[in-house]
């Protein structure tokens, strides 16, 4: 090592295109597919959306659209459509809460109590995906319909008045959201519950924890990564959903997704639709960042 | 502090009576166990894997339901008590530390569940006893195996249980650390004076630490006693082979001399050897078949014709077939005149060099070191299971 003379040690830069330089480039080649994918499917659409939100609001299909940095679009969109926006967040929060309760019970049962039925039950959780989202929501329209057996049964036991209905109420919309996004809650919950070592629960009960104490002190904290993952996977798409509100609700249950859809397809008010989309995205981003910080999941994930 | 401190000093022994565990598939893990473990003792349940020792421990902890029989501590019957209401704590085989809690929170877990408000002092004390003070704020995953083991011990000890159950607590550690922890455990047990019930398949571990050992095999206790009793006077072929090594030679009783402290005379392949009556675990009537047993280090050999230091049962005409020098001693395999081989371990006292294979030797052992076992037992029981 010490005896190496400068003459026998060619500097790497002297050998152009040598192995060292090639190695330097390998990393960039490897991220190329991902970078192209990200550019094509995220950066370009995102830029297009952002540009749309800053269109001149007076543009039309005939006169064309110009990016005029018309930031007032945001103000207008918010002042006009704050109600569907708040409603979206509220419905999504309700649906997420219901999903969490139902999903936790289901995931817990599959992870700890299903025994040899575990795999079958997991398949059953995913099975609804074999049918289209739209068709399943339409069937809920039939089930919750005014002449359906659910309404009949509820009217018979006087939970529902004789001229009250389920369809076209917030109940139907939230129920639809809960139903449609339940698998997104169950799967992450199952994944983190299934990883919990049963001996930890035994250890807790050995250390004077009753079953409920053991659940809240050991099982629940250890399942938090699944809870965070599941709530995000449910809340984010539920906020932007418009199928449930349009099929199961009435104009009174309009969510922000419906508004954006109308603005884009019916009214042709691209600027306002774009602005509303960007606002929705920002609100979700802030909420999620706050939530993750609050849940302290860096350690758990 | 806890209910333990207020408990009367005597009479809180752990008693297992007719304890049985049968699984729904018909497998009987524990046949019918009767054990009395005095308060404050270090008790070891020793046996090969699958012998039912862990099942027994889990029944005491309440993690396994009891099929029949009862478990009592003093006059308190805990057979069907919920695990979290038993004055018993367990050190689990894989420690089962809570990964989401710091070391001090892991240790404080039991006290908090019992509603103790001020846990700081006791936690600091127990962490000091187990030399973990510096790790208090770390998470279990940041600790080495030996440290995790001590956390598991501290987490159980802090509750001052009436009985501490240890389920192969040193199994996951490497040999050197295991030796160190054995002494550590023994020191802590002496210091706190609690009843320790230790389950292990490692005979050396059991003998190093325990006051009393119960050797278990196939769901029953083969023999119970102090380490020296079990080693010096095994009652079954399983114990003779599982605890150390034994030479077992077939023979039949030809007579009994003297009374209770007399000698049983056994014809062993043409040589009559004598065995003290209290070491003969057979019906000592003439003609009874049995296994004559003697530990290899009690077997003395000398080149044919030379006198042997401590003559006793004396045999001639043996040949060394193998000798291996392992430093502290030399291990000889000797073929006896009747064709079977015997082991003889000779201390390296320097009095004589290693005898080469092929050397004709005389073999002898003192009668008081021999034992006689029932011939109906399998001569190979317990071999290769340790």
């Amino acid at each position: 090592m010490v005896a190496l003379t400068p003459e026998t040690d060619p500097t790497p830069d002297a050998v152009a295109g040598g192995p060292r330089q090639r190695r330097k480039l390998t990393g960039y080649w490897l991220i190329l597919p991902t970078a192209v994918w990200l550019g094509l499917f995220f950066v370009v659409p995102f830029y297009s959306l952002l540009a749309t939100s800053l269109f001149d609001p007076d543009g039309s299909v005939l006169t064309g659209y110009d990016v005029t940095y018309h930031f007032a679009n945001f103000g207008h969109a918010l002042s006009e459509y704050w109600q569907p926006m708040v409603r979206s967040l509220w419905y999504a929060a309700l649906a997420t809460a219901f999903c969490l309760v139902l999903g936790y019970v289901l995931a817990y049962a599959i992870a700890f109590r299903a025994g040899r039925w575990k795999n079958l039950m997991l398949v059953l959780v995913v099975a609804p995906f074999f049918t289209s989202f739209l068709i399943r929501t339409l069937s809920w329209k039939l089930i919750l319909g005014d002449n359906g057996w659910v309404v009949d049964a509820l009217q018979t036991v006087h939970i529902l008045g004789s001229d009250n209905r389920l369809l076209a109420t917030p109940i139907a919309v939230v129920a639809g959201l809960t139903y449609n996004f339940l698998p997104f809650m169950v799967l992450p919950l199952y994944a983190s519950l299934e990883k919990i070592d049963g001996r930890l629960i035994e250890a807790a009960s050995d250390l004077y924890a009753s079953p409920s104490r053991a659940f809240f002190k050991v099982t629940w904290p250890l399942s938090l990564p699944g809870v965070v993952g599941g709530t995000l996977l449910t809340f984010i798409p539920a906020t932007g959903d418009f199928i449930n509100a349009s099929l199961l609700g009435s104009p009174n249950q309009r969510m922000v997704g419906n508004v954006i859809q109308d603005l884009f397809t019916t009214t042709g008010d691209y600027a306002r639709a774009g602005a509303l989309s960007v606002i929705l995205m920002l609100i979700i981003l802030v909420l999620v960042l706050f939530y993750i910080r609050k849940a302290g999941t860096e350690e758990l994930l | 502090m806890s209910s333990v401190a207020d408990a009367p000093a005597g009479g809180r022994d752990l008693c297992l009576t007719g304890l049985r565990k049968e699984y729904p598939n018909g497998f009987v893990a524990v046949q019918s166990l009767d054990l009395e473990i005095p308060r404050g003792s270090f008790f070891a349940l020793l046996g090969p894997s699958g012998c039912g020792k862990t099942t027994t421990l889990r029944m005491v902890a309440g993690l396994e339901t009891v099929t029949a029989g009862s478990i009592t501590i003093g006059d308190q019957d805990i057979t069907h008590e919920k695990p979290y209401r038993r004055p018993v704590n367990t050190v689990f085989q894989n420690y089962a530390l809570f990964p989401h809690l710091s070391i001090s929170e892991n240790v404080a877990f039991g006290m908090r569940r019992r509603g103790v408000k001020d846990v700081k002092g006791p936690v600091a004390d127990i962490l000091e006893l187990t030399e973990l003070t510096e790790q208090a704020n770390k998470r279990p995953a940041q600790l080495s195996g030996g440290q995790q083991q001590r956390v598991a011990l501290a987490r159980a000890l802090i509750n001052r249980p009436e009985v501490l159950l240890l389920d192969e607590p040193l199994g996951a550690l490497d040999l050197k650390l295991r030796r160190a922890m054995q002494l550590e455990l023994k020191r802590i047990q002496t210091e706190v004076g609690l009843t320790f019930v230790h389950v292990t398949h490692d005979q050396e571990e059991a003998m190093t630490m325990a006051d009393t050992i119960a050797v278990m095999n196939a769901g029953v206790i083969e023999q119970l006693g102090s380490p020296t009793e079990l080693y010096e006077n095994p009652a079954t072929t399983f114990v003779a082979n599982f605890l150390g090594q034994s030479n077992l030679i077939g023979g039949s009783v030809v007579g009994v001399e003297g009374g209770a402290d007399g000698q049983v005379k056994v014809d062993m392949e043409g040589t009559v050897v004598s065995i003290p009556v209290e070491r003969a675990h057979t019906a000592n009537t003439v003609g009874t078949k049995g296994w004559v047993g003697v530990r290899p280090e009690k077997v003395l050999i000398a080149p044919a014709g030379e006198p042997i230091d401590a003559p006793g049962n004396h045999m001639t005409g043996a040949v060394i077939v193998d000798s291996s020098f392992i430093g502290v001693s030399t291990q000889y395999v000797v073929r006896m005149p009747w064709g079977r081989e015997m082991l003889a371990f000779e201390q390296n006292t320097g009095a004589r060099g290693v005898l080469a294979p092929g050397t004709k030797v005389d073999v002898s052992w003192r009668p008081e070191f021999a034992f006689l076992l029932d011939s109906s037992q399998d001569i190979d029981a317990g071999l290769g299971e340790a």
Side-chain angles (χ1 to χ4, degrees), chain B residues 10 20-21 24 75 96 106 112 114 118 123 126 128 137 155 178 183 188 192 214 258 350 352 357 362:
Chain B
R20 180 182 173 85
K21 176 67 189 181
D75 47 11
N106 260 284
R112 291 207 195 279
R114 284 182 305 158
D118 187 30
V123 168
I126 204 82
E128 188 163 341
N137 296 318
R155 186 177 70 171
R178 196 151 70 216
L183 300 175
I188 291 171
V192 298
R352 180 174 59 211
D362 293 347

Side-chain angles (χ1 to χ4, degrees), chain A residues 11-117:
Chain A
T11 49
D13 299 331
V15 197
R20 180 174 290 202
Q21 201 163 356
R22 217 176 299 150
R23 215 173 303 142
K24 237 192 242 168
L25 286 175
T26 315
Y28 293 104
W29 284 112
L30 284 175
I31 52 171
L32 188 68
T34 320
V36 169
W37 192 91
L38 206 64
L40 220 58
F41 297 108
F42 177 70
V43 177
V44 173
F46 183 69
Y47 171 77
S48 142
L49 176 66
L50 211 59
T52 308
S53 72
L54 298 170
F55 276 171
D56 174 8
D58 298 326
S60 71
V61 187
L62 299 174
T63 58
Y65 296 93
D66 295 312
V67 178
T68 54
Y69 296 97
H70 199 282
F71 283 99
N73 285 343
F74 290 90
H76 289 151
L78 209 54
S79 64
E80 204 166 333
Y81 300 113
W82 67 270
Q83 269 181 318
M85 181 70 86
V86 169
R87 193 180 293 128
S88 282
L89 295 171
W90 172 236
Y91 284 2
L94 277 179
T96 306
F98 289 131
C99 275
L100 182 59
V101 173
L102 295 173
Y104 205 99
V105 174
L106 186 56
Y108 188 93
I110 297 175
F112 295 125
R113 299 276 181 268
R116 61 203 182 94
W117 302 104

